[in-house]
Each structure stands twice: as C-alpha cells, then as structure tokens.
mmCIF file of all heavy atoms in Angstrom:
data_model
loop_
_atom_site.group_PDB
_atom_site.id
_atom_site.type_symbol
_atom_site.label_atom_id
_atom_site.label_comp_id
_atom_site.label_asym_id
_atom_site.label_seq_id
_atom_site.Cartn_x
_atom_site.Cartn_y
_atom_site.Cartn_z
ATOM 1 N N ALA O 1 -45.350 6.154 -6.535
ATOM 2 C CA ALA O 1 -45.115 6.788 -5.175
ATOM 3 C C ALA O 1 -44.907 5.639 -4.162
ATOM 4 O O ALA O 1 -45.299 4.533 -4.481
ATOM 5 C CB ALA O 1 -46.357 7.595 -4.788
ATOM 6 N N PRO O 2 -44.357 5.929 -3.092
ATOM 7 C CA PRO O 2 -44.151 4.970 -2.014
ATOM 8 C C PRO O 2 -45.417 4.222 -1.649
ATOM 9 O O PRO O 2 -46.484 4.819 -1.514
ATOM 10 C CB PRO O 2 -43.681 5.663 -0.851
ATOM 11 C CG PRO O 2 -43.026 6.959 -1.435
ATOM 12 C CD PRO O 2 -43.850 7.257 -2.667
ATOM 13 N N ALA O 3 -45.460 2.888 -1.689
ATOM 14 C CA ALA O 3 -46.605 2.108 -1.299
ATOM 15 C C ALA O 3 -47.757 2.142 -2.289
ATOM 16 O O ALA O 3 -48.859 1.711 -1.993
ATOM 17 C CB ALA O 3 -47.009 2.386 0.146
ATOM 18 N N LYS O 4 -47.411 2.567 -3.510
ATOM 19 C CA LYS O 4 -48.497 2.767 -4.519
ATOM 20 C C LYS O 4 -47.962 1.947 -5.736
ATOM 21 O O LYS O 4 -46.769 1.717 -5.944
ATOM 22 C CB LYS O 4 -48.709 4.217 -4.926
ATOM 23 C CG LYS O 4 -49.157 5.088 -3.714
ATOM 24 C CD LYS O 4 -50.558 4.684 -3.300
ATOM 25 C CE LYS O 4 -51.069 5.622 -2.199
ATOM 26 N NZ LYS O 4 -51.272 7.056 -2.635
ATOM 27 N N GLU O 5 -48.949 1.594 -6.549
ATOM 28 C CA GLU O 5 -48.650 0.928 -7.746
ATOM 29 C C GLU O 5 -48.168 1.907 -8.836
ATOM 30 O O GLU O 5 -48.438 3.099 -8.782
ATOM 31 C CB GLU O 5 -49.962 0.256 -8.379
ATOM 32 C CG GLU O 5 -50.419 -0.864 -7.445
ATOM 33 C CD GLU O 5 -51.637 -1.615 -8.024
ATOM 34 O OE1 GLU O 5 -52.200 -1.100 -9.078
ATOM 35 O OE2 GLU O 5 -52.007 -2.678 -7.548
ATOM 36 N N ARG O 6 -47.454 1.371 -9.661
ATOM 37 C CA ARG O 6 -46.890 2.194 -10.864
ATOM 38 C C ARG O 6 -48.127 2.621 -11.742
ATOM 39 O O ARG O 6 -48.841 1.793 -12.168
ATOM 40 C CB ARG O 6 -45.882 1.487 -11.585
ATOM 41 C CG ARG O 6 -45.203 2.290 -12.610
ATOM 42 C CD ARG O 6 -43.942 1.508 -13.174
ATOM 43 N NE ARG O 6 -42.993 1.170 -12.155
ATOM 44 C CZ ARG O 6 -41.790 0.589 -12.461
ATOM 45 N NH1 ARG O 6 -41.512 0.263 -13.591
ATOM 46 N NH2 ARG O 6 -41.040 0.294 -11.359
ATOM 47 N N GLU O 7 -48.174 3.904 -11.967
ATOM 48 C CA GLU O 7 -49.277 4.471 -12.777
ATOM 49 C C GLU O 7 -48.790 5.150 -14.060
ATOM 50 O O GLU O 7 -47.819 5.773 -14.018
ATOM 51 C CB GLU O 7 -50.200 5.398 -11.895
ATOM 52 C CG GLU O 7 -49.495 6.627 -11.550
ATOM 53 C CD GLU O 7 -50.419 7.649 -10.798
ATOM 54 O OE1 GLU O 7 -51.653 7.344 -10.726
ATOM 55 O OE2 GLU O 7 -49.972 8.578 -10.157
ATOM 56 N N PHE O 8 -49.656 5.150 -15.071
ATOM 57 C CA PHE O 8 -49.395 5.810 -16.282
ATOM 58 C C PHE O 8 -49.474 7.248 -16.104
ATOM 59 O O PHE O 8 -50.332 7.893 -15.433
ATOM 60 C CB PHE O 8 -50.370 5.246 -17.292
ATOM 61 C CG PHE O 8 -50.362 6.055 -18.558
ATOM 62 C CD1 PHE O 8 -49.353 5.835 -19.500
ATOM 63 C CD2 PHE O 8 -51.372 7.059 -18.893
ATOM 64 C CE1 PHE O 8 -49.300 6.584 -20.711
ATOM 65 C CE2 PHE O 8 -51.303 7.699 -20.091
ATOM 66 C CZ PHE O 8 -50.270 7.494 -20.965
ATOM 67 N N VAL O 9 -48.498 7.963 -16.781
ATOM 68 C CA VAL O 9 -48.445 9.453 -16.807
ATOM 69 C C VAL O 9 -48.718 10.012 -18.274
ATOM 70 O O VAL O 9 -49.686 10.761 -18.467
ATOM 71 C CB VAL O 9 -47.134 10.004 -16.298
ATOM 72 C CG1 VAL O 9 -47.138 11.508 -16.423
ATOM 73 C CG2 VAL O 9 -46.976 9.557 -14.782
ATOM 74 N N ALA O 10 -47.945 9.550 -19.174
ATOM 75 C CA ALA O 10 -48.027 10.037 -20.547
ATOM 76 C C ALA O 10 -47.292 9.083 -21.484
ATOM 77 O O ALA O 10 -46.463 8.429 -20.997
ATOM 78 C CB ALA O 10 -47.421 11.433 -20.637
ATOM 79 N N ALA O 11 -47.705 9.109 -22.673
ATOM 80 C CA ALA O 11 -47.009 8.301 -23.775
ATOM 81 C C ALA O 11 -47.071 8.948 -25.100
ATOM 82 O O ALA O 11 -47.863 9.962 -25.277
ATOM 83 C CB ALA O 11 -47.599 6.886 -23.834
ATOM 84 N N ILE O 12 -46.183 8.579 -25.993
ATOM 85 C CA ILE O 12 -46.189 9.217 -27.290
ATOM 86 C C ILE O 12 -45.765 8.149 -28.371
ATOM 87 O O ILE O 12 -44.864 7.250 -28.088
ATOM 88 C CB ILE O 12 -45.184 10.372 -27.363
ATOM 89 C CG1 ILE O 12 -45.245 11.142 -28.659
ATOM 90 C CG2 ILE O 12 -43.716 9.880 -27.082
ATOM 91 C CD1 ILE O 12 -44.582 12.491 -28.549
ATOM 92 N N ASN O 13 -46.511 8.182 -29.409
ATOM 93 C CA ASN O 13 -46.133 7.334 -30.534
ATOM 94 C C ASN O 13 -44.900 7.921 -31.188
ATOM 95 O O ASN O 13 -44.764 9.048 -31.482
ATOM 96 C CB ASN O 13 -47.324 7.400 -31.599
ATOM 97 C CG ASN O 13 -46.998 6.690 -32.862
ATOM 98 O OD1 ASN O 13 -46.570 7.378 -33.831
ATOM 99 N ND2 ASN O 13 -47.319 5.462 -32.982
ATOM 100 N N TRP O 14 -43.920 7.056 -31.401
ATOM 101 C CA TRP O 14 -42.641 7.460 -31.796
ATOM 102 C C TRP O 14 -42.483 7.983 -33.120
ATOM 103 O O TRP O 14 -41.958 9.086 -33.449
ATOM 104 C CB TRP O 14 -41.654 6.259 -31.691
ATOM 105 C CG TRP O 14 -40.268 6.732 -31.596
ATOM 106 C CD1 TRP O 14 -39.259 6.612 -32.555
ATOM 107 C CD2 TRP O 14 -39.599 7.562 -30.553
ATOM 108 N NE1 TRP O 14 -38.045 7.244 -32.089
ATOM 109 C CE2 TRP O 14 -38.341 7.832 -30.881
ATOM 110 C CE3 TRP O 14 -40.152 8.003 -29.359
ATOM 111 C CZ2 TRP O 14 -37.509 8.598 -30.025
ATOM 112 C CZ3 TRP O 14 -39.368 8.755 -28.494
ATOM 113 C CH2 TRP O 14 -38.013 9.042 -28.898
ATOM 114 N N SER O 15 -43.262 7.409 -34.127
ATOM 115 C CA SER O 15 -43.091 7.924 -35.500
ATOM 116 C C SER O 15 -44.126 9.148 -35.746
ATOM 117 O O SER O 15 -43.643 10.124 -36.409
ATOM 118 C CB SER O 15 -43.442 6.826 -36.457
ATOM 119 O OG SER O 15 -44.714 6.324 -36.310
ATOM 120 N N GLY O 16 -45.310 9.016 -35.224
ATOM 121 C CA GLY O 16 -46.244 10.064 -35.493
ATOM 122 C C GLY O 16 -46.326 11.192 -34.427
ATOM 123 O O GLY O 16 -46.760 12.251 -34.751
ATOM 124 N N GLY O 17 -45.787 10.906 -33.258
ATOM 125 C CA GLY O 17 -45.743 11.953 -32.184
ATOM 126 C C GLY O 17 -47.108 12.207 -31.538
ATOM 127 O O GLY O 17 -47.289 13.120 -30.903
ATOM 128 N N ASN O 18 -48.082 11.275 -31.645
ATOM 129 C CA ASN O 18 -49.343 11.369 -30.964
ATOM 130 C C ASN O 18 -49.241 11.187 -29.497
ATOM 131 O O ASN O 18 -48.689 10.159 -29.079
ATOM 132 C CB ASN O 18 -50.241 10.384 -31.599
ATOM 133 C CG ASN O 18 -50.546 10.547 -33.127
ATOM 134 O OD1 ASN O 18 -50.617 11.646 -33.618
ATOM 135 N ND2 ASN O 18 -50.546 9.473 -33.837
ATOM 136 N N PRO O 19 -49.624 12.156 -28.757
ATOM 137 C CA PRO O 19 -49.537 12.068 -27.335
ATOM 138 C C PRO O 19 -50.721 11.428 -26.565
ATOM 139 O O PRO O 19 -51.874 11.635 -27.079
ATOM 140 C CB PRO O 19 -49.318 13.451 -26.831
ATOM 141 C CG PRO O 19 -50.219 14.327 -27.884
ATOM 142 C CD PRO O 19 -50.105 13.507 -29.103
ATOM 143 N N TYR O 20 -50.477 10.855 -25.471
ATOM 144 C CA TYR O 20 -51.537 10.343 -24.599
ATOM 145 C C TYR O 20 -51.290 10.761 -23.244
ATOM 146 O O TYR O 20 -50.050 10.682 -22.810
ATOM 147 C CB TYR O 20 -51.644 8.745 -24.748
ATOM 148 C CG TYR O 20 -51.774 8.358 -26.157
ATOM 149 C CD1 TYR O 20 -50.639 8.105 -26.958
ATOM 150 C CD2 TYR O 20 -52.973 8.103 -26.712
ATOM 151 C CE1 TYR O 20 -50.749 7.689 -28.207
ATOM 152 C CE2 TYR O 20 -53.148 7.583 -28.014
ATOM 153 C CZ TYR O 20 -52.038 7.477 -28.765
ATOM 154 O OH TYR O 20 -52.208 7.018 -30.098
ATOM 155 N N TYR O 21 -52.229 11.120 -22.455
ATOM 156 C CA TYR O 21 -52.086 11.565 -21.076
ATOM 157 C C TYR O 21 -53.027 11.015 -20.030
ATOM 158 O O TYR O 21 -54.202 10.723 -20.416
ATOM 159 C CB TYR O 21 -52.207 13.128 -20.949
ATOM 160 C CG TYR O 21 -51.131 13.881 -21.784
ATOM 161 C CD1 TYR O 21 -51.593 14.366 -23.066
ATOM 162 C CD2 TYR O 21 -49.923 14.040 -21.452
ATOM 163 C CE1 TYR O 21 -50.613 15.133 -23.819
ATOM 164 C CE2 TYR O 21 -48.993 14.822 -22.196
ATOM 165 C CZ TYR O 21 -49.321 15.388 -23.404
ATOM 166 O OH TYR O 21 -48.472 15.993 -24.108
ATOM 167 N N ALA O 22 -52.541 10.713 -18.857
ATOM 168 C CA ALA O 22 -53.427 10.405 -17.794
ATOM 169 C C ALA O 22 -54.260 11.683 -17.501
ATOM 170 O O ALA O 22 -53.781 12.790 -17.592
ATOM 171 C CB ALA O 22 -52.682 10.042 -16.635
ATOM 172 N N ASP O 23 -55.547 11.485 -17.054
ATOM 173 C CA ASP O 23 -56.375 12.581 -16.630
ATOM 174 C C ASP O 23 -55.797 13.509 -15.597
ATOM 175 O O ASP O 23 -55.961 14.676 -15.614
ATOM 176 C CB ASP O 23 -57.717 12.049 -16.274
ATOM 177 C CG ASP O 23 -58.547 11.510 -17.428
ATOM 178 O OD1 ASP O 23 -58.251 11.811 -18.570
ATOM 179 O OD2 ASP O 23 -59.443 10.790 -17.125
ATOM 180 N N SER O 24 -55.058 12.826 -14.639
ATOM 181 C CA SER O 24 -54.417 13.559 -13.619
ATOM 182 C C SER O 24 -53.439 14.593 -14.011
ATOM 183 O O SER O 24 -53.151 15.560 -13.311
ATOM 184 C CB SER O 24 -53.880 12.695 -12.601
ATOM 185 O OG SER O 24 -52.913 11.912 -13.126
ATOM 186 N N VAL O 25 -52.801 14.471 -15.186
ATOM 187 C CA VAL O 25 -51.762 15.382 -15.557
ATOM 188 C C VAL O 25 -52.097 16.097 -16.836
ATOM 189 O O VAL O 25 -51.364 17.045 -17.301
ATOM 190 C CB VAL O 25 -50.490 14.603 -15.849
ATOM 191 C CG1 VAL O 25 -50.077 13.821 -14.572
ATOM 192 C CG2 VAL O 25 -50.557 13.625 -17.069
ATOM 193 N N LYS O 26 -53.245 15.835 -17.464
ATOM 194 C CA LYS O 26 -53.599 16.499 -18.734
ATOM 195 C C LYS O 26 -53.734 17.973 -18.536
ATOM 196 O O LYS O 26 -54.336 18.356 -17.489
ATOM 197 C CB LYS O 26 -54.891 15.915 -19.243
ATOM 198 C CG LYS O 26 -55.229 16.291 -20.659
ATOM 199 C CD LYS O 26 -56.565 15.523 -21.171
ATOM 200 C CE LYS O 26 -56.246 14.005 -21.253
ATOM 201 N NZ LYS O 26 -57.461 13.347 -21.748
ATOM 202 N N GLY O 27 -53.193 18.731 -19.375
ATOM 203 C CA GLY O 27 -53.124 20.201 -19.226
ATOM 204 C C GLY O 27 -51.962 20.756 -18.362
ATOM 205 O O GLY O 27 -51.818 21.926 -18.543
ATOM 206 N N ARG O 28 -51.292 19.884 -17.700
ATOM 207 C CA ARG O 28 -50.159 20.440 -16.941
ATOM 208 C C ARG O 28 -48.882 19.800 -17.470
ATOM 209 O O ARG O 28 -47.799 20.464 -17.472
ATOM 210 C CB ARG O 28 -50.304 19.899 -15.484
ATOM 211 C CG ARG O 28 -51.466 20.565 -14.846
ATOM 212 C CD ARG O 28 -51.432 20.310 -13.304
ATOM 213 N NE ARG O 28 -51.508 18.829 -13.076
ATOM 214 C CZ ARG O 28 -50.638 18.076 -12.359
ATOM 215 N NH1 ARG O 28 -49.535 18.780 -11.839
ATOM 216 N NH2 ARG O 28 -50.799 16.791 -12.134
ATOM 217 N N PHE O 29 -48.920 18.522 -17.989
ATOM 218 C CA PHE O 29 -47.702 17.869 -18.510
ATOM 219 C C PHE O 29 -47.747 17.786 -19.999
ATOM 220 O O PHE O 29 -48.779 17.633 -20.577
ATOM 221 C CB PHE O 29 -47.654 16.475 -17.984
ATOM 222 C CG PHE O 29 -47.259 16.359 -16.398
ATOM 223 C CD1 PHE O 29 -47.350 17.455 -15.664
ATOM 224 C CD2 PHE O 29 -46.948 15.137 -15.900
ATOM 225 C CE1 PHE O 29 -47.109 17.427 -14.304
ATOM 226 C CE2 PHE O 29 -46.776 15.054 -14.569
ATOM 227 C CZ PHE O 29 -46.806 16.130 -13.785
ATOM 228 N N THR O 30 -46.593 17.811 -20.706
ATOM 229 C CA THR O 30 -46.554 17.741 -22.145
ATOM 230 C C THR O 30 -45.387 16.770 -22.391
ATOM 231 O O THR O 30 -44.284 16.854 -21.954
ATOM 232 C CB THR O 30 -46.194 19.058 -22.695
ATOM 233 O OG1 THR O 30 -47.263 19.970 -22.467
ATOM 234 C CG2 THR O 30 -46.179 18.912 -24.284
ATOM 235 N N ILE O 31 -45.756 15.701 -23.239
ATOM 236 C CA ILE O 31 -44.727 14.807 -23.631
ATOM 237 C C ILE O 31 -44.324 15.061 -25.036
ATOM 238 O O ILE O 31 -45.164 15.537 -25.888
ATOM 239 C CB ILE O 31 -45.218 13.301 -23.544
ATOM 240 C CG1 ILE O 31 -44.122 12.355 -23.798
ATOM 241 C CG2 ILE O 31 -46.497 13.108 -24.479
ATOM 242 C CD1 ILE O 31 -44.523 10.836 -23.492
ATOM 243 N N SER O 32 -43.053 14.905 -25.324
ATOM 244 C CA SER O 32 -42.591 15.228 -26.760
ATOM 245 C C SER O 32 -41.409 14.260 -27.045
ATOM 246 O O SER O 32 -40.836 13.688 -26.038
ATOM 247 C CB SER O 32 -42.217 16.668 -26.983
ATOM 248 O OG SER O 32 -41.132 17.110 -26.047
ATOM 249 N N ARG O 33 -40.972 14.156 -28.213
ATOM 250 C CA ARG O 33 -39.853 13.374 -28.547
ATOM 251 C C ARG O 33 -38.976 13.974 -29.699
ATOM 252 O O ARG O 33 -39.560 14.756 -30.453
ATOM 253 C CB ARG O 33 -40.270 11.959 -28.892
ATOM 254 C CG ARG O 33 -40.508 11.677 -30.383
ATOM 255 C CD ARG O 33 -41.938 12.033 -30.761
ATOM 256 N NE ARG O 33 -42.300 11.574 -32.117
ATOM 257 C CZ ARG O 33 -42.304 12.328 -33.118
ATOM 258 N NH1 ARG O 33 -42.059 13.663 -33.060
ATOM 259 N NH2 ARG O 33 -42.654 11.759 -34.280
ATOM 260 N N ASN O 34 -37.780 13.641 -29.738
ATOM 261 C CA ASN O 34 -36.841 14.108 -30.684
ATOM 262 C C ASN O 34 -36.301 12.736 -31.324
ATOM 263 O O ASN O 34 -35.524 12.087 -30.772
ATOM 264 C CB ASN O 34 -35.659 14.881 -30.202
ATOM 265 C CG ASN O 34 -34.800 15.504 -31.302
ATOM 266 O OD1 ASN O 34 -34.537 14.797 -32.287
ATOM 267 N ND2 ASN O 34 -34.340 16.735 -31.165
#
C-alpha cells in the first residue's frame, strides 16, 4: 500500500501445492497453481 512496506499475502509450494497465508487474509483468500 502507499507509504507502507511490502507485506506477505500468500504463497504456494510449486510441486506439492501446499499453501501459506498471512493471518490477515486467511479464510478470505485462496492461492492455487496450475
């Protein structure tokens, strides 16, 4: 965000597809990959 540091939102392990989420978005955001 403006005047803010870059913060983590979500990540995913490419081969296994294991997701990781920031607490602020957990339950609302979903990361996936093809």
Side-chain angles (χ1 to χ4, degrees):
K4 300 292 181 64
E5 294 183 350
R6 190 168 299 185
E7 66 174 352
F8 171 75
V9 177
I12 191 166
N13 172 269
W14 200 246
S15 61
N18 301 317
Y20 306 86
Y21 299 100
D23 289 341
S24 60
V25 305
K26 190 174 297 182
R28 299 188 296 123
F29 292 9
T30 302
I31 189 170
S32 61
R33 88 277 191 259
N34 187 321

